[in-house]
């Protein structure tokens, strides 16, 4: 996929995200196309990441892209964050306007973030994005209420990545999906990161799924990272007591 | 002792929920204290069963054939419709397994408003008793927090206390209950202890065979309104016989090496109007032969593990 024309051929070098946990900042640095999973006690972190986008918290969370730091306190910062960060939420919170057809839902981020695009270019971008995610193009003319949970989550994912963000933050994206649909979404996410330079931040409690998708895993307990390592290490030799507890309770370890 | 017995039950489809498969000649026995997992997607049959059990008044008119009865102490066998008159709260089907939902309301008041069958005052009292049972240090403080402020652990304890407060004869739970593996392990343990004590039976609707085996003794797999495989939960997880069960097992992260795609087939289950002839799974089945297109399969296997398939996994290709 690569970055869009307006960004030239610039390769994203540094991407760092800090969010405020109850006990100080959680700082993550991504390499291009890397997947990091936060597991454990993560229920507080989703709202923190979304506060970056909405600007509801002025201090604390920030996003650093190529050494340029963006906080939601300034208008420029908010614009930069919107351009580079997008979110995928549980399917029942998917931001799909019930009165709009899927096409219009997917056009919305392009209209906002790539206003220079012509209507035709927008449609082509959307169609290629759907093809990448193996979603039927016929979905475009449907209303969200006519779609199954799995299809809705696919549309939400397409909406999140259609404008080619640098970082996709997926907060509990598998919640309330059946295993078959979870598997479909996992395949889409794997395909997405292997095919483009988008970095993926997974925030979820399911260690088995995190270990399946992520390069690195960080275990969060009481709002702070207690252990971080490669996904492989975390499966085999969890060091901290809390990580051991999670690993022991997770079925495949 | 059998608590709930369903024999040869068929129901007509609900016009208001077109995606839901109606039940087709269902046989199911549930013993006291037994945990049974209903696997295969809510629309494939579990949702119809849930509607039948939790809204018997509405569901009665749709039963085409078959019998349903419950064994109630002191009253003998009651049909589902009689039960509604005699004993409210015998079957409880909370909308979502973590019950509380969001809100700024006090947790105690929010929980009590969901437990209408108990009445407000006794509901809060019994919730506190329930919380003490699950070793909550400060039940009163927990109940006076707003529902939004609870963390996952507290939410789980409150939902368990709600189950203990209602203590239905049959509890219908829907997955996902608890995502965190540490909490899930505790949830399973507490629910087991509670059901051993009260004889409550649990029907757990999920699509995860591993979770099913962790919580339940028995698993029933539905497809297009019919049971395709049922039996001991661990043997369904480890040695599935129906290709659908085997497929569901392969969609779990522990079944494939990390960073490799899951072997999903990209097709979906049929809608109620378009169930294929023969075995309903044949269009998605890699093992299907000519017979599967024509003849609906009969059950084979043993009483502890049976499957409806012409070419079960054990036969090889």
């Amino acid at each position: 996929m690569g970055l869009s024309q307006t960004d030239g051929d610039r390769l994203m070098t540094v991407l760092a995200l800090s969010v405020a946990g109850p006990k100080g900042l959680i700082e993550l640095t991504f390499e291009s196309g890397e997947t990091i999973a936060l597991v454990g006690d993560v229920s507080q972190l989703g709202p923190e990441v979304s506060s970056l986008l909405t600007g509801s918290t002025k201090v604390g969370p920030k996003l650093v892209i190529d050494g340029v730091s963006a906080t939601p306190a300034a208008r420029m910062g908010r614009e930069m964050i919107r351009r580079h960060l997008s979110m995928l939420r549980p399917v029942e919170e998917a931001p799909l306007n019930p009165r709009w057809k899927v096409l219009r839902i997917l056009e919305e981020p392009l209209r906002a973030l790539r206003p220079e695009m012509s209507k035709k270019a927008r449609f082509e971008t959307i169609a290629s994005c759907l093809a990448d995610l193996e979603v039927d193009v016929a979905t475009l003319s449907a209303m969200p209420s006519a779609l199954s949970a799995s299809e809705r989550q696919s549309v939400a994912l397409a909406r999140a990545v259609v404008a080619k963000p640098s970082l996709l933050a997926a907060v509990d994206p598998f919640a309330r999906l059946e295993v078959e649909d979870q598997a479909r979404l996992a395949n889409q996410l794997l395909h997405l990161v292997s095919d483009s330079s988008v970095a993926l931040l997974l925030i979820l409690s399911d260690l088995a799924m995190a270990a399946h998708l992520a390069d690195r895993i960080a275990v969060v307990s009481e709002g702070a990272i207690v252990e971080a390592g490669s996904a492989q290490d975390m499966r085999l030799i969890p060091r901290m007591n809390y990580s051991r507890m999670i690993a022991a309770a997770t079925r495949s370890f | 002792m059998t608590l709930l017995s369903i024999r040869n039950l068929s129901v007509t489809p609900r016009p208001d929920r077109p995606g839901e498969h109606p039940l087709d000649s269902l046989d199911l026995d549930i013993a006291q204290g037994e945990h049974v997992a209903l696997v295969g997607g809510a629309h494939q049959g579990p949702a119809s069963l849930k509607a039948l059990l939790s809204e018997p008044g509405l569901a009665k008119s749709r039963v085409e054939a078959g019998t349903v009865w419950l064994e109630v102490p002191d009253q003998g066998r009651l049909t589902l419709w009689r039960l509604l008159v005699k004993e409210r709260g015998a079957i409880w089907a909370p909308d979502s397994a973590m019950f509380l939902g969001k809100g700024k309301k006090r947790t105690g008041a929010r929980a009590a408003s969901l437990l209408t069958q108990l009445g407000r005052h006794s509901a809060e009292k019994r919730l506190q008793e329930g919380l003490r049972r699950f070793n909550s240090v400060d039940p009163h403080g927990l109940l006076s927090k707003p529902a939004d402020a609870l963390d996952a652990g507290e939410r789980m304890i409150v939902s368990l206390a709600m189950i203990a407060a209602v203590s239905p004869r049959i509890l219908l739970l829907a997955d996902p209950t608890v995502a965190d593996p540490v909490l899930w392990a505790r949830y399973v343990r507490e629910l087991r202890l509670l059901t051993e004590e009260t004889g409550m039976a649990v029907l757990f609707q999920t699509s995860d065979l591993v979770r099913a085996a962790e919580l339940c003794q028995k698993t029933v797999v539905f497809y297009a309104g019919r049971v395709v495989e049922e039996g001991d939960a661990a043997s369904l997880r480890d040695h599935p016989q129906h290709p659908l069960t085997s497929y569901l097992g392969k969609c779990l992260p522990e079944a494939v090496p990390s960073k490799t795609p899951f072997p999903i087939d990209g097709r979906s289950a049929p809608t109620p109007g378009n169930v294929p002839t023969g075995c309903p799974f044949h269009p998605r089945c890699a093992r299907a032969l000519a017979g599967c297109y024509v003849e609906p399969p009969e059950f084979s296997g043993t009483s502890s593990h049976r499957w409806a398939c012409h070419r079960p996994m054990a036969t090889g290709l």
Side-chain angles (χ1 to χ4, degrees):
Chain A
M1 245 188 256
L3 292 172
S4 74
Q5 285 301 311
T6 48
D7 290 344
D9 288 333
R10 191 189 59 177
L11 202 70
M12 192 186 57
T13 49
V14 181
L15 177 68
L17 175 77
S18 324
V19 289
K23 287 194 179 167
L25 286 183
I26 291 179
E27 295 188 9
L28 300 164
T29 310
F30 293 82
E31 282 163 28
S32 185
E34 192 184 28
T35 305
I36 298 182
L38 292 177
V39 298
D41 181 13
V42 292
S43 51
Q44 308 292 324
L45 296 180
E48 281 300 324
V49 177
S50 65
S51 78
L52 255 176
L53 282 169
T54 55
S56 54
T57 328
K58 302 288 185 202
V59 286
K62 66 175 184 193
L63 185 70
V64 180
I65 302 131
D66 283 335
V68 182
S69 160
T71 64
R75 199 173 66 85
M76 287 287 284
R78 280 200 295 280
E79 270 175 19
M80 197 165 132
I81 290 170
R82 277 202 202 113
R83 198 177 177 86
H84 289 281
L85 172 69
S86 68
M87 271 184 92
L88 182 66
R89 278 172 252 252
V91 63
E92 73 263 35
E93 295 165 31
L96 308 181
N97 188 331
R99 287 159 192 267
W100 287 2
K101 286 188 177 171
V102 171
L103 176 64
R104 189 162 166 206
I105 289 171
L106 294 181
E107 269 184 332
E108 194 201 8
L110 289 177
R111 278 177 203 268
L113 300 173
R114 305 263 186 273
E116 74 285 355
M117 261 187 179
S118 70
K119 195 177 176 187
K120 195 169 166 232
R122 269 207 302 271
F123 184 80
E124 276 164 8
T125 313
I126 289 169
S128 83
C129 178
L130 287 186
D132 278 344
L133 299 176
E134 292 182 1
V135 179
D136 192 357
V137 183
T139 316
L140 285 177
S141 55
M143 300 299 278
S145 57
L147 302 176
S148 70
S150 169
E151 287 166 324
R152 274 204 298 279
Q153 191 68 330
S154 295
V155 172
L157 176 62
R159 184 183 181 277
V161 299
V162 71
K164 308 228 179 346
S166 309
L167 174 64
L168 172 66
V171 181
D172 226 352
F174 301 103
R176 277 154 223 256
L177 289 176
E178 280 161 17
V179 288
E180 206 188 331
D181 303 334
Q182 293 188 9
R184 181 168 302 128
L185 179 61
N187 284 1
Q188 288 168 338
L189 289 173
L190 274 177
H191 184 78
L192 192 75
V193 287
S194 68
D195 226 40
S196 67
S197 61
V198 61
L200 178 61
L201 170 65
L202 288 167
I203 299 180
L204 72 180
S205 335
D206 184 353
L207 182 59
M209 193 53 106
H212 180 72
L213 293 173
D215 303 305
R216 287 196 288 147
I217 293 183
V219 179
V220 178
S221 172
E222 294 180 353
I225 292 181
V226 292
E227 181 170 1
S230 76
Q232 210 57 31
D233 287 353
M234 206 59 77
R235 287 179 96 121
L236 301 176
I237 35 165
R239 275 176 293 269
M240 299 294 291
N241 199 18
Y242 182 69
S243 325
R244 244 184 252 135
M245 238 162 74
I246 295 180
T250 305
R251 52 259 182 132
S252 60
F253 300 116
Chain B
M1 191 180 84
T2 307
L3 181 65
L4 171 75
S5 169
I6 297 174
R7 282 279 165 277
N8 192 30
L9 182 75
S10 296
V11 299
T12 50
R14 290 171 67 119
D16 55 330
R17 293 190 201 155
E20 235 167 59
H21 281 276
L23 299 165
D24 188 0
S25 36
L26 174 72
D27 287 320
L28 190 65
D29 278 313
I30 291 156
Q32 241 180 22
E34 194 178 23
H35 295 195
V36 178
L38 310 174
V39 172
H43 284 349
Q44 303 303 315
S48 293
L49 183 60
K50 181 180 171 182
L52 186 80
L53 292 177
S54 58
E55 314 155 12
L58 294 174
K60 188 181 176 184
S61 57
R62 296 187 301 111
V63 171
E64 272 179 353
T67 55
V68 183
W69 54 256
L70 271 106
E71 183 90 40
V72 180
D74 310 331
Q75 300 186 21
R77 290 180 178 182
L78 292 181
T79 60
L80 207 48
W81 347 121
R82 285 289 293 161
L83 189 82
L84 188 68
V85 184
K86 295 259 183 190
E87 205 175 352
R88 275 187 82 201
I91 298 175
W92 191 40
D95 277 341
S96 118
M98 292 311 280
F99 317 143
L100 277 178
K102 304 235 167 178
K104 292 202 170 24
K105 234 175 165 180
R106 264 181 66 238
T107 303
R110 171 93 186 116
S113 73
L114 294 171
L115 305 178
T116 46
Q117 61 270 64
L118 293 180
R120 211 154 261 224
H121 280 292
S122 72
E124 281 219 32
K125 216 171 121 204
R126 287 171 76 166
L127 267 176
Q128 292 205 8
E129 281 164 25
L131 285 171
R132 263 184 225 112
R133 184 200 152 90
F134 298 114
N135 300 326
S136 167
V137 203
D138 178 16
H140 192 73
L142 190 57
L143 288 182
S144 45
K145 270 192 186 180
D148 273 342
L150 299 185
D151 67 22
E154 291 169 333
R155 203 165 265 268
M156 183 195 81
I157 297 296
V158 173
S159 74
L160 279 169
M162 284 166 81
I163 296 174
V166 180
S167 284
R169 291 186 200 286
I170 298 178
L171 173 70
L172 292 109
L173 272 184
D175 200 30
T177 35
V178 187
D180 187 283
V182 180
L183 289 180
W184 170 248
R186 171 149 188 229
Y187 189 81
V188 169
R189 197 175 60 233
E190 300 283 14
L191 201 57
R192 282 251 170 88
L193 287 175
L194 185 66
T195 48
E196 265 167 31
E197 211 173 276
T198 59
M200 170 170 66
V202 178
L203 293 178
F204 178 55
Q205 197 260 305
T206 179
S207 54
D208 185 332
L209 286 167
V210 175
R211 280 212 158 178
E214 281 166 349
L215 181 67
C216 304
Q217 294 93 33
K218 185 174 158 189
T219 296
V220 184
V221 184
F222 286 84
Y223 192 71
R226 284 174 162 267
V227 174
V228 296
E229 185 167 5
E230 63 177 320
D232 179 56
S235 66
L236 254 82
R237 175 193 58 193
D238 300 330
H239 309 287
Q241 289 304 317
H242 198 281
L244 169 67
T245 319
S246 157
Y247 173 69
L248 288 175
K250 282 183 192 137
C251 288
L252 297 171
E254 42 275 80
V256 291
S258 57
K259 291 258 168 193
T260 47
F262 293 99
I264 53 169
D265 63 2
R267 288 160 174 270
S268 46
T271 51
N274 310 312
V275 180
T277 56
C279 171
F281 191 62
H282 82 251
R284 299 175 67 186
C285 181
R287 302 167 62 83
L289 289 181
C292 304
Y293 288 66
V294 189
E295 195 69 21
E298 296 287 326
F299 276 106
S300 48
T302 62
S303 60
S304 66
H305 184 180
R306 57 186 201 142
W307 50 87
C309 179
H310 293 300
R311 307 196 63 231
M313 305 302 285
T315 56
L317 279 170

